[in-house]
Amino acid sequence: MHNAPKNYAEYHKEIEGSLQDQFLRKTLDSFAIAYRENRERIFKDVDEHALIHAIADMKDDACKHMEELYAQFKAQAEKRGVHVHRAATAEEANAIIARIARENSVKRVIKSKSMTAEEIELNPYLEKDGLIVDETDLGEWIIQLRKEPPSHMVMPAIHLSRYQVADEFTKATGVKQEGEDIQRLVKVARVQLRRKFIAGDMGISGCNFAIAENGAAVTVTNEGNARMVTTLPRVHVVLAGLDKLVPDLESVMTVLQVLPRNATGQRITSYVTFMDGAGECGANPDNRKIMHVVFLDNGRSAVAKDPLFSQVFRCVRCGACSNVCPVFRLVGGHKMGYIYIGAIGLVLTYLFHGHDKARLLCQNCVGCEACKNVCAGGIDLPGLIREIRSRLNAEYGNPAPMKLLSSVMKNRRLFHRLLKYASYAQKPFTGGAPFQRHLPAILLGKHGFKALPAIADKSFRDRWPSIAPKITNPRFRVALFGGCAQDFVYPEQLEAAVKLLAAHGVAVDYPEAQSCCGLPLEMMGQRPASIEVARQNVSAFMAGNYDAVITLCASCGSHLKHNYPDILKNDPLASGAKAFADKVTDFSSFVHDVLGLTAEDFHNSGEKTTYHAACHLCRGLGVHKAPRELIADAADYTPCNEEEVCCGFGGTYSAKFPEISAQLLRKKLDNIKATGASCVVMDCPGCVMQIRGGVEKEHLGIKVKHIAELLAENMKH
């Protein structure tokens, strides 16, 4: 039922199949846009960040006291007539539930939606034991009919059209069902499921929270089926991961302020059910429900002790990480997960289902940080995925190309010499143009969706001695962090920044010992090389007494500011890394917030100009206002639909998954064209490379600029 791709070729073939599914693409597109709008609206009446912080603290504390909470829950629940079990493995959990069924002469089992049941593959186990198992959540029942796993944690059948559902209902009922009549399909499902509710001997439900203080199990649902499952049968089994344990009712009420908002854009769901002990049941001789709670470990107690990965237990299974993921939006959950779906699914696959199953899946993350930005528990999902890549490389060994690239990038002089050599070697393919125009198509393959840039004839570091400004009595002393792309591909972007900064009394330095920020190495799981590059860069800037370290690359900036202190935390340079990171500032924020430049400092060109927000600027660095206001100061700013959605570059991601990168670029270009703007501006050379390459390939005639170029061109002096 659940399959993981065996190799890259197989995985890419599966991805191509999803990309060609027009219904899937249209459905997930519509959902992603509507979800983002609804989520923004529904969070306006609460302090989202304070709530997420409170949930993270509560869940982290619960994780540290998992054993005490389990013991407290067990004692309280057993006082109320509930049988509490603990299963070390998926096999043991299945065996316990099957034994409960046998002991109570159960023939038919009805279930409400439970990702934990999916995790242990409960249905096939019980069916092999001779039981009839029926899912009663509408989406789960549909995919059960199709013998498919869920494609989303909250909406398991989101990938299916009404016509596919009608076909399954026709097979299930023996009566022809029409896909056009949705209300009729709902009525058919209601009739079929009610028969199952009445016939069920045992109900199995999941659990959103297990409250230690009173032994209560809590479910949060939008369909009435869960209450039918937990009340009608004479036997009820609750299946819960140990991570669902919370200390008290107050904790539940805190999470409930975020969970429905994040999952479905509601203030509260239709049903929140608290099951505090075994209730009445006339079908049993003692008039009491036979109630069992089975807690699943399956590696959870070990993960709880991991100082990094224990944060996964903040997850409340809202599915928001899928809802905002640009990759999920294109390929769906069946291609972005094993059992658990989306960004959290990539991590949980590694933790619960085997490193071999996660090896390919964890590569399919563009690193846009949209998931981290909306996570109800503030989990650093992109960081965990990068850590998994690093651990898998250590476990399985680095592929030869990765070893070679890693050894080159950590040797700054060799890396820079190779780039300089490439600037000469490319001449037959560029013809002096800023693009690789004459590369044979066979060399491009799936990468032919955009024009590739040429390496600059002269790098910024080689230009620096002749352009370095000399400022007397400067307002600020800053250092530029150039990064690979701007140093060797787009040096004109750095030159524009130097021109603007110098014109406003800023002394600028460019430490020549700096190198690549190391983010590409992190994304490839090359942690040892990443650490070495970080050490080189911190050392390069330590000698200068700078007010700020300014970067024109959002990805570099986010990595330097947030990741350097972490990856160097056990290094002798740890304190230097923290001091360095504290000074890192993106170009737009420095110009807007520190220098305080306004419309009075620019000649407004009046050119219709739109904006693309680089992922690591708007989410990684949390910068939203500064670039938009600066564009409006220097040009006619025209907002673009989905400005803060990824363009599909993702550094090495566009090389690993060009078919997905191409589709993300296509969406971005369509939105840019729809504005009617003749120019699009951004804060990241990687985004410039992606979007300018697409504009050039399609001959759109739209200018693609870094914001530093726009501002330098239009400043008054």
Side-chain angles (χ1 to χ4, degrees), residues 337-604:
Y338 176 67
I339 288 176
Y340 291 103
I341 305 302
I344 190 66
L346 303 186
V347 178
L348 296 182
T349 298
Y350 173 82
L351 296 177
F352 295 158
H353 295 110
H355 297 181
D356 57 321
K357 295 180 177 65
R359 197 175 179 190
L360 294 178
L361 295 175
C362 77
Q363 300 299 321
N364 199 5
C365 167
V366 72
C368 70
E369 300 200 1
C371 53
K372 178 181 178 180
N373 198 54
V374 300
C375 178
I379 305 170
D380 182 10
L381 290 161
L384 294 182
I385 291 168
R386 291 195 303 271
E387 177 65 22
I388 288 170
R389 290 172 180 168
S390 176
R391 293 188 183 189
L392 288 173
N393 281 340
E395 180 179 347
Y396 288 98
N398 284 328
M402 296 299 100
K403 281 184 180 178
L404 178 61
L405 185 60
S406 177
S407 63
V408 168
M409 289 187 74
K410 69 181 181 181
N411 186 328
R412 180 183 63 81
R413 289 186 173 82
L414 173 61
F415 181 44
H416 293 165
R417 280 200 298 270
L418 287 174
L419 287 171
K420 286 182 181 180
Y421 173 76
S423 71
Y424 297 108
Q426 71 184 351
K427 303 238 180 251
F429 305 109
T430 65
F435 293 98
Q436 307 281 353
R437 296 189 186 279
H438 308 297
L439 278 174
I442 192 170
L443 295 180
L444 293 173
K446 292 180 180 180
H447 299 272
F449 63 89
K450 63 182 178 184
L452 300 178
I455 296 172
D457 290 337
K458 192 173 185 180
S459 68
F460 179 78
R461 65 180 55 239
D462 289 335
R463 300 182 191 194
W464 177 246
S466 63
I467 68 168
K470 293 179 174 53
I471 308 296
T472 56
N473 300 318
R475 295 171 62 190
F476 301 98
R477 296 182 182 276
V478 305
L480 277 183
F481 184 89
C484 312
Q486 286 167 324
D487 191 355
F488 292 95
V489 182
Y490 303 124
E492 65 275 8
Q493 296 175 6
L494 292 171
E495 285 193 17
V498 172
K499 177 183 174 182
L500 184 139
L501 293 171
H504 291 88
V506 179
V508 184
D509 190 16
Y510 185 82
E512 192 173 334
Q514 65 179 284
S515 187
C516 170
C517 70
L519 182 59
L521 293 167
E522 275 290 304
M523 295 297 288
M524 293 184 295
Q526 305 297 307
R527 178 60 56 76
S530 169
I531 291 173
E532 180 56 34
V533 168
R535 296 187 84 258
Q536 291 174 21
N537 283 323
V538 171
S539 298
F541 284 80
M542 283 180 71
N545 183 25
Y546 306 118
D547 297 307
V549 175
I550 297 177
T551 174
L552 280 72
C553 175
S555 298
C556 290
S558 180
H559 184 55
L560 300 174
K561 194 166 193 69
H562 299 310
N563 296 337
Y564 268 29
D566 183 58
I567 63 177
L568 292 177
K569 63 186 176 186
N570 297 318
D571 193 271
L573 283 174
S575 60
K578 177 66 168 60
F580 169 75
D582 288 343
K583 291 183 178 181
V584 170
T585 309
D586 69 280
F587 174 76
S588 287
S589 293
F590 187 83
V591 171
H592 183 271
D593 302 338
V594 180
L595 292 183
L597 300 195
T598 66
E600 298 298 318
D601 298 290
F602 300 97
H603 296 289
N604 192 299

Side-chain angles (χ1 to χ4, degrees), residues 74 93 107 110 194 196 220 224 230 236 298 332 337 361 376 383 391 400 490 496 515 519 552 628 682 688 702 712 717:
K74 180 177 172 66
K107 303 289 188 223
I110 55 174
R194 282 185 176 175
K196 300 178 189 301
V220 182
T230 61
H236 175 210
N298 202 28
L361 295 175
R391 293 188 183 189
Y490 303 124
S515 187
L519 182 59
L552 280 72
R628 290 176 170 90
M682 56 216 67
V688 170
I702 298 171
H717 53 269

Side-chain angles (χ1 to χ4, degrees), residues 41-46 256-261 264-269:
R41 173 182 52 81
I42 206 71
F43 268 104
K44 281 183 177 177
D45 59 347
V46 298
L256 285 178
Q257 293 180 70
V258 177
L259 173 55
R261 284 179 165 87
T264 53
Q266 299 167 274
R267 284 183 175 81
I268 194 67
T269 49

Side-chain angles (χ1 to χ4, degrees), residues 59-67 86 242-243 297-314 351-352:
K59 293 286 275 182
D60 286 349
D61 189 67
C63 179
K64 291 175 185 174
H65 298 92
M66 186 181 285
E67 296 302 328
R86 180 164 175 166
L242 285 169
D243 52 298
D297 190 325
N298 202 28
R300 285 166 172 79
S301 56
V303 174
K305 296 180 178 67
D306 188 303
L308 179 63
F309 280 99
S310 59
Q311 65 183 288
V312 300
F313 294 145
R314 300 176 192 167
L351 296 177
F352 295 158

